[in-house]
Amino acid sequence: MQQGPRPNFRGRNPNFRREQQQEHRTNRMIRVPEVRLVGDNVEPGVYSTEEALRMAQDQQLDLVEISPNAAPPVCRIIDYNKFLYEKKKKEKEMKANAHKSEVKEIRFTPNTDDHDFDFKAKHAEKFLKEGNKVKTYVQFKGRAIMFKERGELILLKFAERLAEVGALEGMPLMEGKRMIAIFAPKSSKKATKAPKEPKEGGERPERPERPERAERHDRDQAPQQPQQPPVRRPIEIKYATPAPKPNTDTNNSGN
């Protein structure tokens, strides 16, 4: 008995591969009964999926599922290709602006002179300002291993030179024939705020003093004169004069 050709199960869903490749479900890939629409070109709310698809078709845009885990899923009506383009563009810009920190190495010997020391210190300052770490080591060869103290002095002097832009992560340590010190960039301090300048016309004019206050102020500021004792005046005593008596002789003669 011959068997017929096997059915092509993949042919039942032509969007199977596209669903796996796409980051978001769009249009007919959304198989829930209702969705929540958000965005500027629609009135936010819960709609049936068929109605949301019809609204997207009327605007010649796509129905895109933004939050599939919400209940109901959140969708937007947008141009999906334009949305992906802008998203990739932002990711590319962020990646370009992101600075990858690197570890720069600077090598010394126990007999490094001052000129070479200053030259390498300038390079280290540049690396630290760019946000990179600096791994500094003193290489000892042969009998030079006897001068460990000299190598430690060089690294500590180097740390003092880079104190403004870099911080020493730990004291110098010996690893084989190398004495190593690692410097990390210092975080930029916030600029101190300048004192605020008074606004033009913002100062209130001084109020004129009241006359009472001015007199009191002048009285307080005037030099105090020595008080003189009060002058005593003699008290005058006035006595009342007696009233004149009536003349009885004149009255009698008239009768």
Short mmCIF file of all heavy atoms in Angstrom, two decimals, residues 170-208:
data_model
loop_
_atom_site.label_atom_id
_atom_site.label_comp_id
_atom_site.label_asym_id
_atom_site.label_seq_id
_atom_site.Cartn_x
_atom_site.Cartn_y
_atom_site.Cartn_z
N GLY A 170 45.03 50.76 45.17
CA GLY A 170 45.68 50.02 46.25
C GLY A 170 47.18 50.30 46.24
O GLY A 170 47.71 50.88 45.29
N MET A 171 47.83 49.92 47.31
CA MET A 171 49.27 50.12 47.40
C MET A 171 49.98 49.25 46.36
O MET A 171 49.48 48.19 45.96
CB MET A 171 49.77 49.77 48.80
CG MET A 171 49.26 50.73 49.87
SD MET A 171 49.79 52.44 49.58
CE MET A 171 51.55 52.30 49.82
N PRO A 172 51.15 49.68 45.87
CA PRO A 172 51.89 48.89 44.88
C PRO A 172 52.21 47.49 45.40
O PRO A 172 52.59 47.31 46.56
CB PRO A 172 53.17 49.71 44.67
CG PRO A 172 52.80 51.10 45.05
CD PRO A 172 51.80 50.97 46.15
N LEU A 173 52.02 46.50 44.54
CA LEU A 173 52.25 45.10 44.89
C LEU A 173 53.19 44.46 43.89
O LEU A 173 53.20 44.81 42.70
CB LEU A 173 50.92 44.33 44.92
CG LEU A 173 49.88 44.78 45.94
CD1 LEU A 173 48.58 43.99 45.75
CD2 LEU A 173 50.38 44.61 47.36
N MET A 174 53.94 43.49 44.37
CA MET A 174 54.88 42.75 43.52
C MET A 174 54.16 41.55 42.90
O MET A 174 53.46 40.80 43.58
CB MET A 174 56.07 42.27 44.33
CG MET A 174 57.08 43.35 44.66
SD MET A 174 57.93 44.02 43.20
CE MET A 174 58.75 42.56 42.55
N GLU A 175 54.29 41.41 41.58
CA GLU A 175 53.82 40.25 40.85
C GLU A 175 54.96 39.76 39.97
O GLU A 175 55.20 40.29 38.88
CB GLU A 175 52.58 40.59 40.02
CG GLU A 175 51.35 40.91 40.82
CD GLU A 175 50.12 41.12 39.96
OE1 GLU A 175 50.24 40.91 38.73
OE2 GLU A 175 49.06 41.50 40.49
N GLY A 176 55.65 38.73 40.45
CA GLY A 176 56.83 38.27 39.72
C GLY A 176 57.93 39.31 39.79
O GLY A 176 58.40 39.69 40.86
N LYS A 177 58.35 39.78 38.64
CA LYS A 177 59.40 40.80 38.57
C LYS A 177 58.81 42.18 38.26
O LYS A 177 59.53 43.05 37.74
CB LYS A 177 60.42 40.42 37.49
CG LYS A 177 61.24 39.19 37.84
CD LYS A 177 62.33 38.94 36.81
CE LYS A 177 63.17 37.74 37.20
NZ LYS A 177 64.27 37.49 36.23
N ARG A 178 57.57 42.35 38.59
CA ARG A 178 56.90 43.64 38.34
C ARG A 178 56.28 44.14 39.64
O ARG A 178 55.72 43.36 40.41
CB ARG A 178 55.80 43.51 37.29
CG ARG A 178 56.29 43.28 35.89
CD ARG A 178 55.10 43.20 34.95
NE ARG A 178 55.50 43.07 33.56
CZ ARG A 178 54.66 43.01 32.53
NH1 ARG A 178 53.35 43.08 32.76
NH2 ARG A 178 55.10 42.88 31.31
N MET A 179 56.38 45.44 39.84
CA MET A 179 55.65 46.10 40.93
C MET A 179 54.55 46.92 40.27
O MET A 179 54.82 47.83 39.48
CB MET A 179 56.57 46.99 41.75
CG MET A 179 55.87 47.67 42.92
SD MET A 179 57.00 48.55 44.00
CE MET A 179 57.75 47.18 44.87
N ILE A 180 53.28 46.59 40.60
CA ILE A 180 52.12 47.10 39.86
C ILE A 180 51.28 48.01 40.74
O ILE A 180 51.11 47.75 41.94
CB ILE A 180 51.26 45.93 39.34
CG1 ILE A 180 52.10 45.06 38.39
CG2 ILE A 180 50.02 46.43 38.62
CD1 ILE A 180 51.38 43.81 37.93
N ALA A 181 50.76 49.07 40.12
CA ALA A 181 49.79 49.97 40.76
C ALA A 181 48.75 50.35 39.71
O ALA A 181 49.11 50.64 38.56
CB ALA A 181 50.47 51.21 41.32
N ILE A 182 47.50 50.32 40.10
CA ILE A 182 46.39 50.60 39.17
C ILE A 182 45.69 51.88 39.60
O ILE A 182 45.38 52.07 40.78
CB ILE A 182 45.40 49.42 39.13
CG1 ILE A 182 46.12 48.16 38.64
CG2 ILE A 182 44.22 49.74 38.21
CD1 ILE A 182 45.24 46.93 38.64
N PHE A 183 45.42 52.73 38.63
CA PHE A 183 44.75 54.01 38.88
C PHE A 183 43.40 54.01 38.18
O PHE A 183 43.28 53.57 37.03
CB PHE A 183 45.59 55.18 38.37
CG PHE A 183 46.91 55.33 39.04
CD1 PHE A 183 48.03 54.63 38.58
CD2 PHE A 183 47.06 56.14 40.15
CE1 PHE A 183 49.25 54.75 39.21
CE2 PHE A 183 48.28 56.27 40.77
CZ PHE A 183 49.37 55.57 40.31
N ALA A 184 42.39 54.51 38.87
CA ALA A 184 41.03 54.62 38.31
C ALA A 184 40.69 56.09 38.15
O ALA A 184 41.11 56.93 38.96
CB ALA A 184 40.02 53.95 39.23
N PRO A 185 39.95 56.44 37.11
CA PRO A 185 39.60 57.86 36.91
C PRO A 185 38.66 58.35 38.00
O PRO A 185 37.79 57.62 38.47
CB PRO A 185 38.91 57.87 35.54
CG PRO A 185 38.42 56.47 35.36
CD PRO A 185 39.39 55.58 36.06
N LYS A 186 38.86 59.58 38.41
CA LYS A 186 37.99 60.20 39.40
C LYS A 186 36.73 60.70 38.72
O LYS A 186 36.77 61.21 37.61
CB LYS A 186 38.70 61.36 40.11
CG LYS A 186 39.67 60.93 41.18
CD LYS A 186 40.17 62.14 41.95
CE LYS A 186 41.07 61.71 43.10
NZ LYS A 186 41.56 62.88 43.87
N SER A 187 35.61 60.57 39.42
CA SER A 187 34.36 61.10 38.89
C SER A 187 34.42 62.60 38.91
O SER A 187 34.88 63.22 39.87
CB SER A 187 33.16 60.60 39.71
OG SER A 187 33.33 60.97 41.06
N SER A 188 33.92 63.22 37.83
CA SER A 188 33.96 64.68 37.71
C SER A 188 33.07 65.29 38.77
O SER A 188 31.91 64.94 38.90
CB SER A 188 33.50 65.12 36.33
OG SER A 188 32.20 64.64 36.09
N LYS A 189 33.61 66.22 39.52
CA LYS A 189 32.84 66.91 40.55
C LYS A 189 31.93 67.94 39.93
O LYS A 189 32.23 68.54 38.92
CB LYS A 189 33.78 67.60 41.55
CG LYS A 189 34.67 66.61 42.30
CD LYS A 189 35.55 67.37 43.28
CE LYS A 189 36.44 66.40 44.06
NZ LYS A 189 37.32 67.14 45.01
N LYS A 190 30.81 68.13 40.56
CA LYS A 190 29.85 69.12 40.09
C LYS A 190 30.41 70.51 40.32
O LYS A 190 30.99 70.82 41.35
CB LYS A 190 28.51 68.97 40.82
CG LYS A 190 27.81 67.64 40.52
CD LYS A 190 26.48 67.57 41.24
CE LYS A 190 25.77 66.26 40.94
NZ LYS A 190 24.46 66.18 41.66
N ALA A 191 30.24 71.32 39.31
CA ALA A 191 30.73 72.69 39.42
C ALA A 191 29.99 73.42 40.51
O ALA A 191 28.77 73.32 40.66
CB ALA A 191 30.54 73.42 38.08
N THR A 192 30.76 74.14 41.28
CA THR A 192 30.15 74.88 42.38
C THR A 192 29.28 76.00 41.82
O THR A 192 29.64 76.66 40.84
CB THR A 192 31.24 75.48 43.28
OG1 THR A 192 32.12 76.28 42.46
CG2 THR A 192 32.04 74.36 43.94
N LYS A 193 28.16 76.17 42.42
CA LYS A 193 27.23 77.18 41.94
C LYS A 193 27.74 78.57 42.27
O LYS A 193 28.18 78.85 43.38
CB LYS A 193 25.86 76.97 42.60
CG LYS A 193 25.21 75.65 42.20
CD LYS A 193 23.84 75.53 42.84
CE LYS A 193 23.15 74.23 42.44
NZ LYS A 193 21.82 74.11 43.07
N ALA A 194 27.69 79.42 41.26
CA ALA A 194 28.11 80.79 41.47
C ALA A 194 27.06 81.53 42.28
O ALA A 194 25.86 81.23 42.19
CB ALA A 194 28.31 81.49 40.12
N PRO A 195 27.48 82.47 43.09
CA PRO A 195 26.49 83.22 43.87
C PRO A 195 25.55 83.99 42.96
O PRO A 195 25.96 84.52 41.93
CB PRO A 195 27.35 84.17 44.72
CG PRO A 195 28.66 84.25 44.00
CD PRO A 195 28.87 82.92 43.34
N LYS A 196 24.31 84.00 43.34
CA LYS A 196 23.31 84.67 42.52
C LYS A 196 23.50 86.18 42.58
O LYS A 196 23.69 86.76 43.63
CB LYS A 196 21.90 84.33 43.03
CG LYS A 196 21.57 82.85 42.86
CD LYS A 196 20.15 82.59 43.33
CE LYS A 196 19.79 81.12 43.15
NZ LYS A 196 18.40 80.86 43.62
N GLU A 197 23.47 86.78 41.38
CA GLU A 197 23.60 88.23 41.31
C GLU A 197 22.24 88.86 41.55
O GLU A 197 21.21 88.33 41.12
CB GLU A 197 24.11 88.64 39.92
CG GLU A 197 25.52 88.10 39.63
CD GLU A 197 25.97 88.56 38.27
OE1 GLU A 197 25.17 89.23 37.58
OE2 GLU A 197 27.12 88.27 37.90
N PRO A 198 22.21 89.97 42.22
CA PRO A 198 20.91 90.62 42.46
C PRO A 198 20.31 91.10 41.16
O PRO A 198 20.99 91.61 40.28
CB PRO A 198 21.27 91.80 43.39
CG PRO A 198 22.72 92.04 43.15
CD PRO A 198 23.33 90.71 42.82
N LYS A 199 19.02 90.88 41.00
CA LYS A 199 18.35 91.30 39.79
C LYS A 199 18.22 92.81 39.76
O LYS A 199 18.12 93.48 40.77
CB LYS A 199 16.95 90.66 39.72
CG LYS A 199 17.01 89.14 39.64
CD LYS A 199 15.59 88.59 39.56
CE LYS A 199 15.62 87.06 39.48
NZ LYS A 199 14.25 86.52 39.42
N GLU A 200 18.20 93.30 38.50
CA GLU A 200 18.07 94.75 38.33
C GLU A 200 16.69 95.18 38.79
O GLU A 200 15.67 94.63 38.36
CB GLU A 200 18.26 95.12 36.87
CG GLU A 200 19.67 94.82 36.37
CD GLU A 200 19.83 95.26 34.93
OE1 GLU A 200 18.83 95.78 34.38
OE2 GLU A 200 20.92 95.11 34.38
N GLY A 201 16.68 96.16 39.62
CA GLY A 201 15.41 96.67 40.12
C GLY A 201 14.76 95.77 41.14
O GLY A 201 13.62 95.99 41.52
N GLY A 202 15.49 94.69 41.56
CA GLY A 202 14.89 93.76 42.49
C GLY A 202 15.01 94.20 43.93
O GLY A 202 14.27 93.75 44.80
N GLU A 203 16.00 95.04 44.21
CA GLU A 203 16.19 95.48 45.59
C GLU A 203 15.13 96.49 45.97
O GLU A 203 14.80 97.40 45.20
CB GLU A 203 17.58 96.09 45.75
CG GLU A 203 18.71 95.08 45.50
CD GLU A 203 20.05 95.73 45.71
OE1 GLU A 203 20.06 96.95 45.98
OE2 GLU A 203 21.08 95.04 45.63
N ARG A 204 14.59 96.31 47.13
CA ARG A 204 13.56 97.23 47.59
C ARG A 204 14.19 98.52 48.11
O ARG A 204 15.19 98.49 48.81
CB ARG A 204 12.75 96.58 48.72
CG ARG A 204 11.98 95.34 48.25
CD ARG A 204 11.20 94.77 49.41
NE ARG A 204 10.42 93.61 48.99
CZ ARG A 204 9.65 92.90 49.80
NH1 ARG A 204 9.56 93.25 51.10
NH2 ARG A 204 8.99 91.85 49.34
N PRO A 205 13.62 99.65 47.77
CA PRO A 205 14.17 100.91 48.30
C PRO A 205 13.96 101.01 49.80
O PRO A 205 12.99 100.51 50.34
CB PRO A 205 13.36 101.99 47.55
CG PRO A 205 12.09 101.31 47.17
CD PRO A 205 12.44 99.88 46.91
N GLU A 206 14.92 101.61 50.43
CA GLU A 206 14.83 101.77 51.88
C GLU A 206 13.69 102.71 52.23
O GLU A 206 13.49 103.74 51.60
CB GLU A 206 16.14 102.33 52.43
CG GLU A 206 17.31 101.37 52.24
CD GLU A 206 18.57 101.96 52.85
OE1 GLU A 206 18.49 103.09 53.36
OE2 GLU A 206 19.62 101.29 52.81
N ARG A 207 12.93 102.31 53.23
CA ARG A 207 11.81 103.14 53.65
C ARG A 207 12.31 104.32 54.47
O ARG A 207 13.21 104.16 55.30
CB ARG A 207 10.85 102.31 54.50
CG ARG A 207 10.20 101.17 53.72
CD ARG A 207 9.26 100.41 54.63
NE ARG A 207 8.60 99.32 53.92
CZ ARG A 207 7.75 98.48 54.49
NH1 ARG A 207 7.46 98.61 55.79
NH2 ARG A 207 7.20 97.52 53.77
N PRO A 208 11.76 105.50 54.24
CA PRO A 208 12.18 106.65 55.06
C PRO A 208 11.73 106.47 56.50
O PRO A 208 10.64 105.97 56.78
CB PRO A 208 11.46 107.84 54.39
CG PRO A 208 10.30 107.23 53.67
CD PRO A 208 10.74 105.86 53.23
#
